[in-house]
Each structure stands twice: as C-alpha cells, then as structure tokens.
Amino acid sequence: MRRRLVLGTVMAGFEGTSVPAWLHEAYAAGLASVCLHGPNMAGPRTLSSLCASLRAGRPDLLIAIDEEGGDVTRVHYLEGSPEPGNAVLGRLDDTRLTRDSAARVGRELAAHGINLDLAPVVDINSADDNPVIGARSFGITAAAVGRHSAAWVAGLQGVGVAACAKHFPGHGDTVVDSHHGLPRTTVPREVLDERELEPFRVAVDAGVACVMTSHIVVEAIHPEVPATFSEKLLRGVLRQDLGFGGVIVSDALDMAGASGAIGVPEAAVRALAAGCDLLCLGSRTTGSALEEVVDAVLAAVAKGRLAERRLVEAYGRVARLAAAYPVTSPPSPWTAGPLELGIERAFEITGAARSWLASAAPPSVVQVETESNPAIGTVPWGPAAIGAATDPAAVPKDAKVAVAVRGLGAGHPAWDLCERLRARGHRTILVECGWPRGGADIVTFGGSAAVAAALVRLLGMST
C-alpha cells in the first residue's frame, strides 16, 4: 500500500516516442503522472497515439506538459509555437487576448489527451539579465503579471485543462539558471510580498489548480534552503499566507538547483517533507531511477524522516486533481485557427529601425544562432523557423539587412556580423528576438513562429 502511495505522488518522464515497458508497469502500479518533453515529440499524430497508449492502462493518468505558448513549447517542439508568448501578450496588455491564447493552447492539449499544463509562468522578470525567464514572463510589474496570469488560468482551465502557476515564490529576480546551479534572491521580505508573491496570490484567487516550486534560495525567508525543500515557504507562505489548497508540484528534481549535491532520490524525500505533492523527476527518468526514488521515500517513512500522513495528504491531493480534470472522450483532431493579434504592436522599435524600414532597399534577414537554455530546448525560433532567414554569404548586394539574434550581450557574435555586413555596404539593424538587454534596434519580446511571422511582415518580406 505504501508503494502505491509513493507512486501516486510521482510525475515521471521518459525518453523516446513510445511508452517503455517499465512505464506501463509503473502506472499500472499507481504512478500518478507522466510529463512529456521535447524529445518525446514526433508530430501531432504520434503525440495523440502516445497519449492514448499512456491512458490505455490507466484512464485517470495525469499527462502533463510544458506548453507555455511562445518560446517554451513541447507540442510544437519541431516547428515553433503558433502562439506569441507571455512577454508579447503582456505588452499588448489585453487580458482577452491572453485568455484566448491560453484557451487555444488548452483545446489543443485536450485534443491530444493532455490534462495538465505546467503553465503559466507568473514570474516577474525583474532582472534583465535573467538567463531562464526573460520573454516567458508577462512583464516587470506585479499588477500586469497578476492580471495576465489570472487570464491565462481562466482560459486554460475553462477548456478543461489544469493550469500550474510557476515558479514559486518567483524566479524573475535571479541571474543563475536553476538547471545549472542554485540561484538566490536577496530582496527584503516586503519586496517579496509586494512584487514576487503578488502574481501567485492573484493566480490562487483565480482558482489555479497547481503551483510549481522553484529551486531558488529566498534569503529573507529560509536562507540556504531551496524553496522546493522549504516548509516555511510551501506550508507557511503558499498554504497559510496565500491560502492555496491545490497541488504543489516540484520543478524537475534532476535540475542542479535541486539534486546537484544530493541526488534525485534524496531531493524527492526533502520535497515531499517540505510540502510538495507531485514530484517531477525530469525528462530522462528510467525504470531503475524511479525505483531508487520510491525506495528512498519508503525508507524515509520507515525511519521517521517523512510522516506517512504527509504521503497520504500528497497522494489525496493528486488524486483529486486527476478526478477534477478527466479526459472524457478519445482524442480528436484539432487545428489552430488564424492568429490575428497585431503582434507587431508589442515590438520595441527605435528611430534607426524606423528609418531602416522606410528605406526602399529590398530587405534580407540573417539569423545568428544562439545557445538556448534547457527550458526552451532546441525549438526553431525567429525568422529561420518560418524559412525567412538568409545565409550571410547569400545576401543580395543591394539589400538592407536585419540581423536576428537572441540573448544579445556584449560578447555576442552578432556585433561582428553587423560590422562585416556594413563594411560590405549593407544598411544593417539588429533585432532581438527575446527580452531586451540593450543595443537592439527592434525587440520582439519572443521568438516563436507566430512572432517571427509578424516580424517578417513588419520588415516587408514575404514567406
């Protein structure tokens, strides 16, 4: 019985585009949830078949995915998202558009048989050089992020897919990626209350089904202990102060910020003890890795490190979540409708860029590939995602050039490319397809396929 309780708190990932035998055995034995990641994707038909195969042995399985709409997409991992993403929606500042975008995401997920979306991101991007949030955020103020977070929750849950506000208590004021290290936030408690926590408060009031933790240290509340392992933050702030009664989901426990020094099994024990209900193990779970986690939790209960009532509590919350968001019909085909948001209204355009746009020279776009963070993965982005980018050597002699980049910084290779293009006589501007860090002539606040199409239209090109 205890083993089933433990499995009922676990969200496993797996590699490949078919269900491995160990996973079939695990959810037959009580595994609560499976999370799909980019490497699991091989097109919409395969995704629907994969979800149907997962549900064949357990209809109430929670199938989860990171489908934020915008740069972080899993369903559209191979081609880029048809949605604009949070930063663009925040700048357009029309909550109806945000709600509709979330509803489109939800209807597509439901059509595949997915009933838990690990979105929206409700972090305030208060650090311009944040390496992992950026354009995933709705903005830089608590009020704006809060109202769009509530709209996203309403749109997604209104079509029958559970939402998950992340990354509690706020990952926006950090400069370390928790995939690679342990970020810290040193803001005073009053700033945390008024800024970082406010969007979570609004999301909770909007009825969000889940909240995801972050692997960051919040010095004002629990120095040296990541939020995922902090009872003060999860039970004290989230449960008691904010009044959240839903499922607390850990961010992936295979991230360095959680398990780099202690390993995933011990991280699972600490997360459960602190108040997490559903343990996201990461994208590369194996049968043996799952068994190590289960054994570690069972040992912690036997030794008194983890109260059995805590396990029962977590199991019950996850079971109620699955019951509240059932997949009631077989997956059905779903086709996205036309997206006409006036996305380019969200762009930041300098005077130099407007002069470039007014020039009669034929436009070309050159894209400089930039390493993405693990949250985004290898999703196509920018004009290249829609076939609109040109090799620098193939730029016509009379063309003006827009150099599209992401993560523009002092040492970015785009600066040298611009100089070379200008030396060849091309009028050249820089386009940042993400969060602005200074120096770009146009900032699009995202790199999704939808945003890229709007950019290409603005530049006067056809695809």
Side-chain angles (χ1 to χ4, degrees):
M1 179 58 184
R2 277 185 181 173
R3 177 180 169 79
R4 192 166 193 87
L5 288 175
V6 176
L7 285 168
T9 69
V10 173
M11 175 191 289
F14 65 97
E15 294 187 284
T17 56
S18 60
V19 184
W22 68 264
L23 188 54
H24 277 297
E25 295 169 1
Y27 62 72
L31 184 72
S33 179
V34 171
C35 188
L36 300 176
H37 300 269
N40 299 128
M41 299 300 135
R45 185 172 297 179
T46 301
L47 176 58
S48 289
S49 298
L50 180 60
C51 292
S53 178
L54 285 166
R55 289 199 181 282
R58 185 168 181 184
D60 64 341
L61 186 71
L62 279 168
I63 300 180
I65 200 165
D66 284 293
E67 191 60 42
E68 297 175 9
D71 289 5
V72 175
T73 178
R74 302 296 182 251
V75 174
H76 300 280
Y77 196 76
L78 303 180
E79 74 277 4
S81 175
E83 296 299 325
N86 287 2
V88 169
L89 290 168
R91 284 180 62 81
L92 292 174
D93 202 14
D94 182 336
T95 54
R96 177 185 55 85
L97 296 179
T98 299
R99 186 185 64 246
D100 290 350
S101 180
R104 281 192 298 271
V105 169
R107 283 193 292 269
E108 184 172 22
L109 297 183
H112 288 299
I114 298 167
N115 55 347
L116 171 56
D117 189 6
L118 303 177
V121 169
V122 306
D123 303 306
I124 297 169
N125 198 65
S126 45
D128 286 341
D129 54 349
N130 190 306
V132 70
I133 303 300
R136 300 167 68 193
S137 171
F138 286 114
I140 60 173
T141 68
V145 174
R147 64 175 171 268
H148 286 282
S149 298
W152 179 278
V153 169
L156 188 71
Q157 295 189 169
V159 296
V161 176
C164 182
K166 63 187 187 185
H167 306 79
F168 181 82
H171 208 319
D173 191 40
T174 60
V175 295
V176 173
D177 184 346
S178 51
H179 291 88
H180 303 303
L182 181 58
R184 313 179 72 86
T185 179
T186 60
V187 299
R189 177 62 192 263
E190 57 270 22
V191 174
L192 191 75
D193 286 340
E194 294 173 4
R195 189 179 65 183
E196 271 73 20
L197 291 178
E198 180 59 20
F200 288 97
R201 187 176 289 112
V202 173
V204 169
D205 290 345
V208 70
C210 304
V211 170
M212 177 178 281
T213 68
S214 61
H215 310 317
I216 68 171
V217 171
V218 182
E219 293 189 358
I221 295 178
H222 205 165
E224 308 307 327
V225 178
T228 301
F229 306 149
S230 171
E231 189 171 359
K232 291 180 181 179
L233 278 160
L234 302 188
R235 289 191 172 276
V237 176
L238 183 54
R239 293 284 188 212
Q240 295 176 18
D241 296 351
L242 302 190
F244 180 62
V247 170
I248 299 178
V249 184
S250 77
D251 205 347
L253 295 178
D254 64 348
M255 294 164 63
S259 60
I262 59 175
V264 173
E266 175 62 17
V269 171
R270 295 187 188 187
L272 274 172
C276 287
D277 303 305
L278 187 57
L279 306 173
C280 178
L281 302 187
S283 62
R284 296 183 178 180
T285 314
T286 62
S288 59
L290 177 61
E291 287 304 312
E292 289 175 2
V293 168
V294 173
D295 289 346
V297 174
L298 289 174
V301 174
K303 294 175 182 177
R305 292 185 59 207
L306 176 65
E308 186 167 355
R309 65 178 179 277
R310 169 80 271 272
L311 199 57
V312 172
E313 176 187 57
Y315 177 91
R317 283 203 186 100
V318 174
R320 288 191 292 275
L321 174 66
Y325 290 90
V327 174
T328 56
S329 59
S332 57
W334 184 90
T335 304
L339 182 66
E340 296 295 340
L341 298 181
I343 288 173
E344 63 277 3
R345 292 186 291 114
F347 295 173
E348 193 174 86
I349 305 173
T350 65
R354 293 189 186 281
S355 176
W356 185 98
L357 291 170
S359 167
S364 285
V365 174
V366 172
Q367 184 161 315
V368 180
E369 287 303 322
T370 308
E371 183 179 358
S372 62
N373 66 62
I376 294 173
T378 58
V379 178
W381 63 277
I386 58 172
T390 300
D391 186 278
V395 173
K397 289 183 179 180
D398 59 344
K400 57 183 180 181
V401 183
V403 176
V405 303
R406 192 160 61 177
L408 184 65
H412 200 288
W415 296 110
D416 289 339
L417 176 59
C418 284
E419 289 305 311
R420 293 198 303 272
L421 288 165
R422 288 168 183 149
R424 286 162 49 185
H426 299 290
R427 189 172 186 175
T428 304
I429 59 170
L430 265 170
V431 180
E432 168 62 72
C433 295
W435 194 268
R437 298 188 180 187
D441 299 291
I442 297 176
V443 181
T444 67
F445 293 87
S448 74
V451 175
L455 171 64
V456 166
R457 288 194 298 269
L458 175 71
L459 297 179
M461 302 173 64
S462 58
T463 58

